[in-house]
Amino acid sequence: MPLPALTLSLQFARFDGAAEHRAALPRHKVMRWLRHALASDAEMAVRIVDTEEGQQLNRAYREKDYATNVLTFDYAQEPVILADLVLCAPVVEREAREQNKTLQEHYAHLLVHGTLHAQGWDHETSEEDAQEMEAYETEIMTGLGFTDPYAT
């Protein structure tokens, strides 16, 4: 079965250390990771931001006054998935270090995670939903050649 079609805008804000994040996110790999997490065709923007922009967006849209790893803005799921994913580079980098993962591996996981959110998956509704979403993320990530992102 062919993978869904994806139109992607990959954007990087200007911030210290942006080159390392660009290197971890080659367009062809980002496309591959997202397409493996999609159930249907999509148009998506992925933006890599600094702490200030990440915090501003989280405050404005989730009323949480801190920068988080990934924000998903889902606009439509039919007939085409329309979504924006915003990833906060310093948070992703810190979490990758804390979890003993490469920057690329953690970005791949968060892109898969955010893409599932764009399709209606939610881990905050119940423990059962969280376990189902984590299991699906693990299936996608291992299928992409990564280790289980939730293994400790």
Side-chain angles (χ1 to χ4, degrees), residues 35 49 53 57 68 75 77 79 94 101 111 125-126 152:
R35 290 180 71 207
V49 301
E53 187 174 344
L57 289 167
T68 190
Y75 309 113
Q77 294 178 0
R94 184 190 77 238
K101 295 179 181 177
L111 288 165
T125 49
S126 72
T152 53

Side-chain angles (χ1 to χ4, degrees), residues 114-134:
T115 300
L116 293 182
H117 275 306
Q119 298 171 94
W121 289 79
D122 193 344
H123 54 86
E124 295 181 356
T125 49
S126 72
E127 183 61 32
E128 183 179 325
D129 288 345
Q131 290 175 358
E132 187 177 349
M133 186 172 176
E134 286 180 13

